[in-house]
Amino acid sequence: MAAASFLFAVCMALSTLSGSLVTGTRSFSIDYKNHCFLKDGKPFQYISGSIHYSRIPQYYWKDRLVKMYMTGLNAVQVYVPWNFHEPVQGVHNFTGDRDLVHFLNLANQTGLLVILRPGPYICAEWEMGGLPAWLLQKPNIILRSADADYLEAVSSWLAVLLPKIKPWLYINGGNIITVQVENEYGSYFACDYNYMRHLRTLFRFFLGEEVVLFTTDGNTDKEMTCGSLDGLYATVDFGTDTNITVAFKRQRRFEPQGPLVNSEFYTGWLDHWGDQHAMVGAQKVSRVLEEMLTMGASVNMYMFEGGTNFGYWNGADHDSRFRSVVTSYDYDAPLTEAGDPTEKLLAIRDVIKQYYGYMLYRTTLPHDLTEPTPLISPLNGVHDRAYVSVNGVFQGLLQRDTALVMNVTGKQGDMLDILVENMGRVNFGSKINDYKGLVSNLILGKDVLTDWKIYPLDIDGAISRGWPHSNSRTSFTSPRREPSAGPTLYTGTLQPNGLAWDTFLKLIEWTKGQVWINGVNLGRYWPGRGPQQTLYVPGPLLSTSLPNNITLLELEGAPAHLRIVFMDRPQLNATAGKS
């Protein structure tokens, strides 16, 4: 469609950021045509890690979740062990270390989505795979089958559990995006489709028709055949020694369309008494993870923290002989049994951060800087632009290849924030292995800066969910109309006029940044550098009946007028500047 013949000026308000995300209508589904998940109607890829609340004291749940979030994960995967909550038939316990709802709430507060695996069988190297031992009081019971006694017990348990989790489904305002039915059923001898159909019916009855239900199975035809069922999205699991292409081709035979998913990407392995401690190399894990993410696959790392088999909760294997699992479930995971980060975590974080446009690095000033003191990137380690603030006051910027030194002042203990912008990865030639973020040390005066806290910023995700517009009345203490130096969010609206034609956005006297309209990222602007002066706005992005939300992230400095202009034609050829 031709560009609209109109010109609008929109005034932007400066927003002080705080508070939690508030969202409107929520959805999570599978786009079979485009081979991806859809979250609120937009393509979504999850990067998840497994954590077992049953193996970690409640006191540490928040600590572990925050560490996972700070690594860059946007989801966690969680088992629900039936026997942990119903150790005696008919007596249920969801308190203390068993408070599943509290765990889900903590994950939600931390900003993590949840992939829930409620069984009823979970494996997990857990006592009886999560099934309660009292089931064996029926001497002829056939577990994990359509056996009448087993189905009666399962149905009673799920009638207790599933109503508890229904309010926590993403579509109901919670954070559970997908729910697994059973667990690696294809590796069990029974191959009982009637059992799986019964579970599917129960899950749909209690959770509704809209929630995404899935299965997980090992990377063999037999396992995928017996473990998958129509109406349950089939995913695969495999580790670092597997041919990724072959594994995902196998998933494609059972799910010809939809997202590629590795539901258990093994970061380590379990130990039995008498074994050598199992270990998987950090670089091996990070390399395969990066390959899968580059393919667009959603990946869950099993485990991200293993935890401990307290008491008598360890499981056992019995193939050619009986082998009991040790007390520690450290798993050589990215977080140790005690929750400490490892080199593996750092390697994974370095992979994940490549998938964000902005990273925030935070530390404190090591001593008083009464005089301007040089902040130096001696090895050209800023990839690509770094916006530096002390206690929220913008100090200046560092830039790859061209601006490796700037001055900083402040007092010992002041908060030093460095927002690093990814300006695009090299796509041709010998330097395509282009890592982003702070890829080498920064030196302040004579001190190498250490003790960084690193936050991958999912700005696109937050804005696509309606922030900051949706909570502007409650979270912005005093929206202002004067510009501010340094990285600042500005919000405004374009009122509807009944038209939704193509147009072009011009940012006169704005410096550099990013623009979103109705949650869609239009791209970067940098009019001072040029030559491009306008951003293309496709007509279908605009509403003809509702106010159109506009969000600007201005990285350096906004003009006093705080206006943007919609034009009827592009300007792509202005003379390049020097900024």
Side-chain angles (χ1 to χ4, degrees):
M1 179 178 290
S5 297
F6 62 88
L7 182 150
F8 286 113
V10 177
C11 290
M12 310 297 291
L14 179 151
S15 303
T16 303
L17 309 181
S18 63
S20 59
L21 299 182
V22 178
T23 59
T25 303
R26 295 151 67 94
S27 64
F28 194 89
S29 60
I30 294 174
D31 184 344
Y32 289 94
K33 180 179 178 181
N34 294 303
H35 307 296
C36 64
F37 290 113
L38 290 179
K39 181 168 169 285
D40 299 326
K42 298 178 176 62
F44 178 77
Q45 178 184 27
Y46 67 69
I47 308 174
S48 171
S50 288
I51 178 172
H52 297 163
Y53 63 90
S54 56
R55 285 180 160 125
I56 301 169
Q58 184 191 72
Y59 179 84
Y60 285 129
W61 288 353
K62 182 73 171 181
D63 171 79
R64 307 309 195 251
L65 291 167
V66 167
K67 288 172 180 174
M68 296 173 80
Y69 178 82
M70 289 177 64
T71 304
L73 305 188
N74 56 15
V76 293
Q77 190 193 79
V78 183
Y79 275 134
V80 181
W82 178 3
N83 55 9
F84 195 57
H85 295 284
E86 193 180 1
V88 177
Q89 187 172 10
V91 180
H92 302 99
N93 186 348
F94 288 93
T95 63
D97 288 346
R98 293 166 169 81
D99 193 342
L100 171 60
V101 168
H102 180 57
F103 181 87
L104 295 173
N105 188 36
L106 286 176
N108 196 36
Q109 292 175 17
T110 308
L112 290 164
L113 300 167
V114 171
I115 300 156
L116 196 71
R117 311 175 83 182
Y121 169 82
I122 64 169
C123 182
E125 291 73 60
W126 184 263
E127 156 79 4
M128 205 167 157
L131 301 179
W134 51 257
L135 289 170
L136 302 180
Q137 293 172 2
K138 301 284 186 179
N140 297 318
I141 195 170
I142 303 175
L143 302 175
R144 304 178 71 192
S145 76
D147 176 276
D149 290 328
Y150 179 69
L151 288 187
E152 181 181 1
V154 165
S155 299
S156 296
W157 161 240
L158 293 180
V160 172
L161 174 64
L162 297 183
K164 288 181 178 294
I165 69 174
K166 185 174 182 179
W168 288 93
L169 297 178
Y170 184 81
I171 57 178
N172 294 332
N175 55 339
I176 299 173
I177 53 173
T178 61
V179 179
Q180 181 180 321
V181 176
E182 242 275 354
N183 182 65
E184 294 182 324
Y185 188 64
S187 60
Y188 193 58
F189 76 92
C191 199
D192 187 340
Y193 291 114
N194 287 330
Y195 165 55
M196 291 295 288
R197 292 187 187 100
H198 181 82
L199 291 182
R200 180 183 62 191
T201 299
L202 286 175
F203 277 65
R204 286 295 176 207
F205 177 79
F206 287 111
L207 300 182
E209 295 297 323
E210 294 184 20
V211 63
V212 174
L213 301 178
F214 73 100
T215 58
T216 302
D217 283 286
N219 180 33
T220 69
D221 288 340
K222 188 267 179 188
E223 289 171 273
M224 293 290 289
T225 298
C226 288
S228 58
L229 187 71
D230 183 51
L232 309 177
Y233 191 77
T235 72
V236 69
D237 53 41
F238 57 86
T240 58
D241 293 328
T242 299
N243 184 305
I244 299 172
T245 302
V246 171
F248 282 137
K249 279 185 178 179
R250 179 166 281 113
Q251 185 198 357
R252 275 283 171 256
R253 289 206 291 274
F254 292 86
E255 290 290 356
Q257 296 177 302
L260 299 174
V261 180
N262 185 347
S263 290
E264 289 189 7
F265 172 53
Y266 302 112
T267 62
W269 201 247
L270 64 137
D271 290 338
H272 302 97
W273 292 108
D275 288 352
Q276 293 288 324
H277 176 51
M279 299 183 73
V280 178
Q283 295 309 312
K284 203 172 187 181
V285 170
S286 62
R287 176 182 56 80
V288 178
L289 174 64
E290 184 168 19
E291 289 177 14
M292 290 188 290
L293 295 179
T294 301
M295 296 172 69
S298 287
V299 180
N300 174 72
M301 287 168 274
Y302 189 99
M303 297 291 299
F304 206 87
E305 184 193 351
T308 306
N309 294 313
F310 292 108
Y312 308 105
W313 288 115
N314 66 277
D317 285 307
H318 196 303
D319 33 37
S320 59
R321 60 187 176 89
F322 178 83
R323 297 179 296 155
S324 179
V325 174
V326 302
T327 302
S328 172
Y329 200 64
D330 180 86
Y331 214 84
D332 191 32
L335 286 171
T336 69
E337 179 181 13
D340 297 321
T342 65
E343 290 299 320
K344 189 175 293 182
L345 180 143
L346 299 179
I348 289 169
R349 186 194 65 192
D350 286 344
V351 170
I352 295 174
K353 73 183 184 182
Q354 310 301 314
Y355 290 83
Y356 291 92
Y358 295 91
M359 299 282 296
L360 178 64
Y361 293 76
R362 173 171 290 172
T363 188
T364 57
L365 298 184
H367 50 74
D368 289 347
L369 306 174
T370 56
E371 298 294 331
T373 303
L375 176 64
I376 308 168
S377 175
L379 300 179
N380 198 18
V382 173
H383 288 193
D384 299 303
R385 284 169 65 89
Y387 305 89
V388 181
S389 301
V390 175
N391 282 354
V393 178
F394 185 54
Q395 303 276 310
L397 64 89
L398 297 170
Q399 181 168 293
R400 184 176 182 174
D401 294 338
T402 61
L404 306 184
V405 183
M406 59 164 286
N407 289 326
V408 171
T409 58
K411 296 181 179 180
Q412 182 178 7
D414 283 354
M415 186 168 61
L416 174 66
D417 281 342
I418 300 182
L419 181 67
V420 180
E421 179 188 9
N422 167 9
M423 282 291 293
R425 292 181 186 84
V426 175
N427 63 275
F428 182 78
S430 62
K431 299 186 183 296
I432 60 173
N433 191 17
D434 187 12
Y435 291 96
K436 297 300 183 183
L438 296 182
V439 301
S440 64
N441 287 329
L442 296 184
I443 297 175
L444 182 59
K446 297 180 180 180
D447 299 301
V448 176
L449 292 174
T450 59
D451 299 325
W452 293 100
K453 294 181 179 179
I454 305 174
Y455 303 87
L457 302 182
D458 185 14
I459 300 174
D460 289 271
I463 292 176
S464 71
R465 293 188 291 271
W467 177 87
H469 291 264
S470 58
N471 61 342
S472 59
R473 293 183 180 178
T474 57
S475 295
F476 301 155
T477 54
S478 57
R480 310 193 304 275
R481 292 191 176 276
E482 66 271 13
S484 178
T488 307
L489 278 174
Y490 297 84
T491 63
T493 56
L494 174 66
Q495 295 301 318
N497 66 350
L499 301 175
W501 293 353
D502 290 3
T503 183
F504 300 90
L505 177 63
K506 186 169 184 178
L507 297 108
I508 302 170
E509 296 178 359
W510 294 77
T511 309
K512 186 183 190 301
Q514 211 90 16
V515 183
W516 293 260
I517 291 186
N518 291 334
V520 176
N521 191 335
L522 296 182
R524 310 176 202 273
Y525 65 86
W526 201 356
R529 174 64 62 92
Q532 181 178 349
Q533 299 295 303
T534 57
L535 295 175
Y536 171 54
V537 183
L541 295 184
L542 300 174
S543 172
T544 59
S545 57
L546 297 173
N548 294 281
N549 290 333
I550 304 169
T551 306
L552 267 71
L553 173 58
E554 169 57 53
L555 295 165
E556 298 182 40
H561 57 70
L562 292 179
R563 290 188 178 91
I564 61 176
V565 177
F566 289 86
M567 305 180 64
D568 63 355
R569 65 198 65 192
Q571 292 184 2
L572 303 176
N573 61 350
T575 303
K578 297 181 180 180
S579 64

